[in-house]
Amino acid sequence: DTLTGPNAYARASETAAYVRSKLPEALQKPKVAIVCGSGLGGLVDTIEAEPKVELAYSTIPNFPQSTVQGHAGNFVFGLIGPQKIPVALLVGRAHFYEGHTMDLVTFATRVCKLLGIGTMIVTNAAGGLNENYEVGDIVCLNDHLNLAGLVGIHPLRGPNIDEFGVRFPPLSDAYDLDMRRRTHKAWKKLGLDQQKRRLHEGVYAFVGGPSYETRAECRMLRILGADVVGMSTVPEIIVARHAGIRVLAFSLVTNKAVLDTGLRGNDDTIQAMSKTELDEHLNKGKANHQEVLEAGREAAKDMQGLVKQILSDLHED
Ligand code: HPA
């Protein structure tokens, strides 16, 4: 009774068949799947009211149950934008830090493949490591550092499932160049206030979590070439690429990771500081889940606008 190995294909097929059985004709062939990260589920409210099918993860056979506050779990099918493009939204995801296996973290991605989805847009909330990034900026990912994967915690570990893809899939082209070009075009078209929010391209470092990074870890990740850091996305992207799904991914910078060394306690100026001054220093830039959710809410609208513009342009071509 496992999702690993050969069973994963049978299980994903079973789930895909269940999901399909719940969909009316008009929603049977979703073209694009959109994974909505922390606070980014608002896209759901922008799809057509009819036809629309919302399946709670708890009712879907084999689906992982998400346990984090602020991450509802719904698989939503509907039509989006003026061209009524059929999409599948994954609102809420399973994270590795919740205790799920990598098979479960990436299970929905495989179900998407079996539903015939060819393109996946993955969003997440992330900490900004690049000094040029501000809270609320959007980063179009062009590469990643799979820190867990490099030491063997990898969603493709185990017998290869040939039905999905090859044993040794390349990832050098994981972040689709054409989709990234479309993204920058769409962003220009939207003409958002650049003072308020900028669009970057950058590298995402995947960490296991759930604790946020220490200052030294942030500096390490920066040295390694990461621009943002987060606890999701990379497993899904690897499994999507394994199965030949085209991938586009965005991080919303919800907090700035702290890179400076902080107080070391052996300096006269520190000895002379008042308790209030010390507290202020110690709390500077400390990541917290509340801040992450708030930044998400504010920027979510622009991110949604961007995704819809990309989809709309994609449909036109
Ligand atoms: N680190 C890791 N994951 C995150 C962060 C962070 O600073 N912010 C949002 N998700």
Side-chain angles (χ1 to χ4, degrees), residues 94-102 105 148 153 206-209 231-232 235:
H95 297 86
F96 189 64
Y97 62 73
E98 292 175 80
H100 299 302
T101 58
M102 280 293 180
V105 168
I153 302 167
F206 168 60
V207 295
M231 307 171 191
S232 68

Side-chain angles (χ1 to χ4, degrees), residues 38 97 124-129 204-205 207 209-213 218 221 228-232 252-258 285-289 291-293:
S38 302
Y97 62 73
N124 62 60
L129 294 162
Y204 179 97
V207 295
S211 57
Y212 291 110
E213 300 67 42
C218 288
L221 294 171
V228 284
V229 53
M231 307 171 191
S232 68
L252 176 65
V253 178
T254 53
N255 57 286
K256 291 180 86 159
V258 192
K286 199 188 228 175
N288 73 77
H289 190 54
E291 173 191 44
V292 169
L293 290 180

